Amino acid sequence: MPERFSSPTRVRRPARLAVAALGLAALALAARTTVTSLDWVGRLFPGFVVLEDRVVAAVGLPHWSSTAVPNLFLMQVIAVDGRPVAEEAEIYAAAAARPEGTPITYRVRRGAVERDVVLTTQRFTLSDWSWLFGVYLLNGVVFAVSGLLVWALRPVTPLTAAFLAFALSFATFIFTSMDLYAPATF
């Protein structure tokens, strides 16, 4: 006779409330980072995204001007058109202040090696958002829902609790990754 799953054991109310609170927290985090990441749509940007320490993030889409520059990823931007920069906001502001397609010279550094690269400003589109931030959002939702669903189906087993912890931790990591390139509040 095939093995059958027993019906879920009744879970105490505090545990149910805790899991519901975790689910709501994940939802709130996803909503917050989605709203802030949507601010990118329509914005002029340098053709790359930078982290808080002005390092060019190792992420790009094929039509971004930065993807044609060899070894640009993970280099630190130290100047824009000859003016030193101390914050990533200055890099974005320089691109936003110019018309789309304007070439800008960026001085970048990795270790002791410095070089200049010229990239044109670009408009961040809804398609860009979908391929960059939308993928983060989708994966975060899949992890959060998977963890909560598995817990709802079998709430009292140690394996389920471990999977819930893993899934919600990973969902939190992915949701906060949507915030890495600005405003970087997490």
Side-chain angles (χ1 to χ4, degrees):
M1 175 174 248
E3 186 176 330
R4 295 177 38 160
F5 285 109
S6 60
S7 61
T9 307
R10 185 94 170 123
V11 178
R12 294 200 167 127
R13 183 181 175 134
R16 288 195 319 264
L17 291 175
V19 170
L22 288 170
L24 288 174
L27 179 65
L29 180 61
R32 163 67 164 69
T33 56
T34 298
V35 167
T36 59
S37 68
L38 282 169
D39 287 342
W40 277 87
V41 177
R43 178 193 302 182
L44 287 171
F45 78 113
F48 58 87
V49 293
V50 290
L51 302 172
E52 192 173 12
D53 55 0
R54 301 182 328 272
V55 171
V56 177
V59 62
L61 296 175
H63 63 278
W64 290 4
S65 57
S66 61
T67 58
V69 177
N71 302 317
L72 177 63
F73 294 145
L74 304 179
M75 295 195 84
Q76 185 179 43
V77 179
I78 57 174
V80 176
D81 281 338
R83 288 183 302 277
V85 291
E87 301 286 331
E88 82 280 3
E90 296 174 72
I91 300 164
Y92 291 133
R98 312 235 170 92
E100 187 174 356
T102 303
I104 298 176
T105 302
Y106 298 95
R107 184 86 173 158
V108 294
R109 171 181 60 205
R110 180 181 296 133
V113 177
E114 292 185 8
R115 67 181 174 136
D116 289 330
V117 295
V118 178
L119 299 169
T120 58
T121 58
Q122 294 181 253
R123 189 159 309 277
F124 198 90
T125 66
L126 186 57
S127 176
D128 294 331
W129 183 91
S130 298
W131 287 110
L132 182 60
F133 299 112
V135 171
Y136 284 134
L137 179 61
L138 176 64
N139 282 289
V141 167
V142 166
F143 273 99
V145 168
S146 295
L148 293 168
L149 183 61
V150 167
W151 186 86
L153 293 174
R154 184 75 50 219
V156 295
T157 67
L159 183 58
T160 299
F163 183 72
L164 176 65
F166 164 77
L168 290 180
S169 296
F170 208 71
T172 299
F173 171 78
I174 293 172
F175 290 145
T176 58
S177 294
M178 294 173 68
D179 188 59
L180 276 176
Y181 315 119
T185 52
F186 291 105

